[in-house]
Amino acid sequence: DAGVTQTPRHEVAEKGQTIILKCEPVSGHNDLFWYRQTKIQGLELLSYFRSKSLMEDGGAFKDRFKAEMLNSSFSTLKIQPTEPKDSAVYLCASSFGTGGFYEQYFGPGTRLTVL
Amino acid sequence: GDSVTQTEGQVALSEEDFLTIHCNYSASGYPALFWYVQYPGEGPQFLFRASRDKEKGSSRGFEATYDKGTTSFHLRKASVQESDSAVYYCALGATNAYKVIFGKGTHLHVLP
């Protein structure tokens, strides 16, 4: 079975640009998560979808970050406009079951650098 | 709120040393407890899970026992290898919530 796929693996953007990150979850998984990973903050949850419905839209991140799940096998994370502080690794993960009991399967991440 | 604390930020060992990475949690009830491992350039990988008191989780020679009395889930391995060098995350999943709370991670360096 294919794991979680993320594209691109690396992205370099100028401040103020719009970037779109893509994720394909494991086939058959019901839950999808977007995280931001930095050395200082660790793993921070950005968005959560349960069976394609948005359950969490980012809290402190919601003003410039927008995640969408167009169908059960594809999700995007748009950052608009980008700022240098957005430089981080963005991880997508999926889970078979609903709830904190189930393990998450992570993609390799997209490393974003904002100049 | 729920939380996970990993005491060590970095651990340096030699091959064949015994490994312990400490993980303590704060949560009500019986949350699921996880260990994940992250290698450079990859996303975290699920190692194993435990969901009830005294349950042992294990995988690839690593193990941890759920201890509700001490609210701990310490990761142990009897003999580490250089290939075990990675970042290890302890995580907690409440049974009535979708979020998984990750610890800050422990960077393990194993010297040949």
Side-chain angles (χ1 to χ4, degrees):
Chain A
D1 281 343
V4 176
T5 304
Q6 289 188 250
T7 55
R9 292 295 311 276
H10 302 274
E11 179 79 65
V12 179
E14 298 282 340
K15 179 183 172 182
Q17 271 187 286
T18 295
I19 62 105
I20 297 176
L21 309 181
K22 304 178 182 71
C23 173
E24 295 177 34
V26 175
S27 177
H29 279 192
N30 297 315
D31 286 11
L32 186 138
F33 303 82
W34 282 99
Y35 291 91
R36 184 170 79 171
Q37 184 177 41
T38 61
K39 280 189 168 56
I40 295 174
Q41 298 295 336
L43 284 158
E44 300 173 281
L45 181 67
L46 299 176
S47 293
Y48 164 60
F49 293 88
R50 176 185 298 171
S51 299
K52 299 186 294 180
S53 297
L54 182 63
M55 306 301 290
E56 170 139 348
D57 64 355
F61 297 96
K62 63 190 295 184
D63 59 340
R64 296 183 298 108
F65 291 71
K66 183 178 174 63
E68 291 185 313
M69 195 153 186
L70 306 178
N71 55 55
S72 61
S73 58
F74 186 70
S75 177
T76 59
L77 176 66
K78 180 192 288 187
I79 308 176
Q80 178 184 35
T82 53
E83 298 182 5
K85 65 181 180 180
D86 299 332
S87 296
V89 175
Y90 290 83
L91 292 161
C92 177
S94 67
S95 173
F96 175 73
T98 294
F101 179 80
Y102 295 92
E103 64 269 28
Q104 296 182 15
Y105 292 80
F106 285 82
T110 295
R111 180 173 293 279
L112 173 65
T113 302
V114 182
L115 306 174
Chain B
D2 297 348
S3 66
V4 174
T5 301
Q6 291 182 238
T7 311
E8 302 92 353
Q10 301 218 32
V11 173
L13 296 172
S14 298
E15 279 196 324
E16 300 183 11
D17 280 352
F18 188 92
L19 168 71
T20 300
I21 296 177
H22 295 94
C23 172
N24 288 90
Y25 71 92
S26 174
S28 57
Y30 284 86
L33 300 174
F34 303 83
W35 278 102
Y36 286 80
V37 58
Q38 185 174 24
Y39 299 100
E42 300 180 11
Q45 297 175 21
F46 169 72
L47 258 183
F48 55 80
R49 169 188 56 227
S51 57
R52 56 185 183 275
D53 195 22
K54 301 298 184 277
E55 180 181 359
K56 180 189 285 188
S58 64
S59 176
R60 311 183 208 175
F62 293 90
E63 62 178 40
T65 300
Y66 193 126
D67 190 330
K68 186 165 173 63
T70 59
T71 60
S72 66
F73 193 56
H74 304 319
L75 182 70
R76 306 183 198 278
K77 187 176 186 185
S79 175
V80 295
Q81 302 301 310
E82 189 178 0
S83 57
D84 293 327
S85 297
V87 180
Y88 292 82
Y89 291 94
C90 183
L92 174 157
T95 53
N96 60 351
Y98 59 83
K99 284 185 182 181
V100 173
I101 297 169
F102 288 87
K104 291 292 189 184
T106 298
H107 201 153
L108 172 64
H109 303 269
V110 180
L111 306 172

